[in-house]
Amino acid sequence: MADRAARTRRRRGMSAIVIASLTVLGLIAAFFIVDAGARSYAEGRVKQEIADNLPDTVTGDVSVSIGGISVIAQYLSGSFERVALTAPALSVDGVAASVRVVATQVPIDKGKPVGDVRGVVDLDQSALNTLLRSSLAADAPDAKLALGSGEVHYAGSLSVLGFPIGYEAIATPTAVGDSLLFAPKSAKVTTGSGSIDAVEILPLIVGQKPVRVCVAKYLPEGVSLAGVNVTPERARITLESSSLLLTRKSLTTLGNCTAG
């Protein structure tokens, strides 16, 4: 009888442990279900906020993903750990681009700046040439860009002593502040009978300064270029900011391109 009673107590004890474990697991599962719903809702709200606050010149669908374990806990702490924005087919003032932005320490209070913003913008050759045309002065020589491996090729024409001269140049791209700079490293002029070396007249072809493509008017103030890398398929521009506010005023106040 004593053994039977002991076995009964053990079974009851094991049952209590199983029930308690299942209850805890159920509560955890319920939390994650609720948290998943909160994550979906938060991502939808962020997406809508972005759509409402983007400049009128920007079109395209932006998807939002909020990282971290618990969105509820992040919300209660006052900021989201990591928010990723992806727009594979964005158009900014008629310039097509693929954009991905990762922001960390994104505050719930829109009056506070985002802790850190890192972005990647991919432009194809056509989009890069659109930027170039909008940046050239009215009296500047016509030019066209062709993407290469780590370099950019120019092809165009200019007038020298009243004669049209075709030219080709190779430039190395860099990113400085709000602009892409294409510093020529070699050039030649082309004629109907072939090509001749143009090292001595390089300044006449591409100018004393690097060709400058300003992108400030496409970016909110406080966002700057961090780098540029080119391949034959695309020009990849990296962006950064540590002072961006997620308000309509901030997102629609774009930079200005100064002369030079």
Side-chain angles (χ1 to χ4, degrees), residues 121-124 128 147 228-231 233-237:
V121 178
D122 285 343
L123 302 171
D124 63 16
L128 190 60
L147 298 174
V228 58
N229 172 267
V230 299
T231 68
E233 293 75 30
R234 53 95 185 119
R236 173 162 292 173
I237 303 168

Side-chain angles (χ1 to χ4, degrees), residues 41-54 62 64:
Y41 174 78
E43 290 173 346
R45 283 298 302 272
V46 172
K47 181 176 181 177
Q48 189 60 50
E49 286 285 336
I50 292 172
D52 292 342
N53 291 322
L54 283 176
V62 180
V64 178

Side-chain angles (χ1 to χ4, degrees), residues 23-82:
T23 300
V24 171
L25 290 174
L27 291 174
I28 293 175
F31 171 79
F32 279 110
I33 290 172
V34 172
D35 195 71
R39 186 182 302 272
S40 178
Y41 174 78
E43 290 173 346
R45 283 298 302 272
V46 172
K47 181 176 181 177
Q48 189 60 50
E49 286 285 336
I50 292 172
D52 292 342
N53 291 322
L54 283 176
D56 295 335
T57 55
V58 178
T59 60
D61 187 58
V62 180
S63 63
V64 178
S65 175
I66 298 177
I69 296 177
S70 170
V71 168
I72 295 175
Q74 291 181 68
Y75 181 83
L76 294 176
S77 72
S79 66
F80 294 117
E81 296 174 12
R82 182 180 185 275

Side-chain angles (χ1 to χ4, degrees), residues 132 136 154 171-174 176 179-185 203 206-214 260:
L132 175 63
L136 290 175
Y154 294 78
T172 303
T174 57
V176 179
S179 300
L180 298 175
L181 300 181
F182 299 95
K185 61 181 182 180
V206 293
Q208 295 284 354
K209 297 179 180 180
V211 173
R212 176 174 177 256
V213 179
C214 179

Side-chain angles (χ1 to χ4, degrees), residues 107-184:
I108 304 300
D109 182 356
K110 291 189 293 183
K112 298 180 179 179
V114 179
D116 185 70
V117 178
R118 305 283 170 171
V120 173
V121 178
D122 285 343
L123 302 171
D124 63 16
Q125 187 167 291
S126 176
L128 190 60
N129 276 294
T130 299
L131 287 178
L132 175 63
R133 286 192 297 271
S134 68
S135 296
L136 290 175
D139 59 348
D142 183 29
K144 183 178 181 181
L145 303 177
L147 298 174
S149 298
E151 61 188 21
V152 172
H153 299 253
Y154 294 78
S157 65
L158 73 163
S159 178
V160 178
L161 300 177
F163 296 97
I165 301 294
Y167 69 86
E168 294 178 359
I170 299 176
T172 303
T174 57
V176 179
D178 60 6
S179 300
L180 298 175
L181 300 181
F182 299 95

